[in-house]
Amino acid sequence: MTETAPVREKAMRPEDLTRLFVERTNAGDAAGVAALYEEDAVMAYPPGSRTVGREAIRQLWEKVIANAPTMVPEPPLPTLISGDLALTATPPSDGAGARAQVARRQADGSWLRVLDQPEFVTPTA
């Protein structure tokens, strides 16, 4: 018997990525979170390190989801779009720093993350 992948909503606007990220994390769907990223995407997480590639992001997010986090949607800052690239950002609800992502429009018109900086680390002197 062949298992088929679930049909998931695509991000048709760059701003949809954050909403889908929160929804899929809260649903415990690590593969769904990873599907929001291009194959060779880079996520600056955990803080101070990098996770490279969709499969590595899925594996990391399985560990994160194992702790049953509850994410709350944060209101986005205005999106900056240039051609097929978009810069999205949200101010964390705790007021500490910012979150920023670069997304790229795909051939079907949907958007996927290429770069994700979910937490900025304050540089040390």
Side-chain angles (χ1 to χ4, degrees):
M1 185 161 131
T2 304
E3 187 175 321
T4 59
V7 176
R8 294 184 176 97
E9 178 184 353
K10 291 185 176 188
M12 298 312 293
R13 301 174 314 131
E15 300 84 359
D16 294 338
L17 289 163
T18 298
R19 175 183 55 81
L20 293 170
F21 184 93
V22 169
E23 288 174 4
R24 293 176 186 183
T25 297
N26 289 342
D29 184 5
V33 169
L36 298 171
Y37 292 84
E38 286 192 354
E39 277 299 323
D40 58 352
V42 178
M43 175 186 263
Y45 194 83
S49 63
R50 298 179 335 148
T51 301
V52 180
R54 183 182 288 157
E55 178 58 22
I57 292 169
R58 183 194 61 76
Q59 291 174 14
L60 169 68
W61 225 246
E62 281 183 350
K63 294 174 187 171
V64 170
I65 287 172
N67 295 317
T70 300
M71 295 201 168
V72 177
E74 297 166 334
L77 296 170
T79 298
L80 184 60
I81 298 176
S82 177
D84 290 336
L85 293 176
L87 175 64
T88 61
T90 56
S93 54
D94 64 6
R99 305 181 199 290
Q101 302 82 31
V102 174
R104 184 178 1 242
R105 188 185 336 256
Q106 306 299 299
D108 67 357
S110 67
W111 292 82
L112 293 176
R113 287 180 173 172
V114 180
L115 300 170
D116 187 0
Q117 180 82 46
E119 295 182 19
F120 283 85
V121 176
T122 304
T124 55

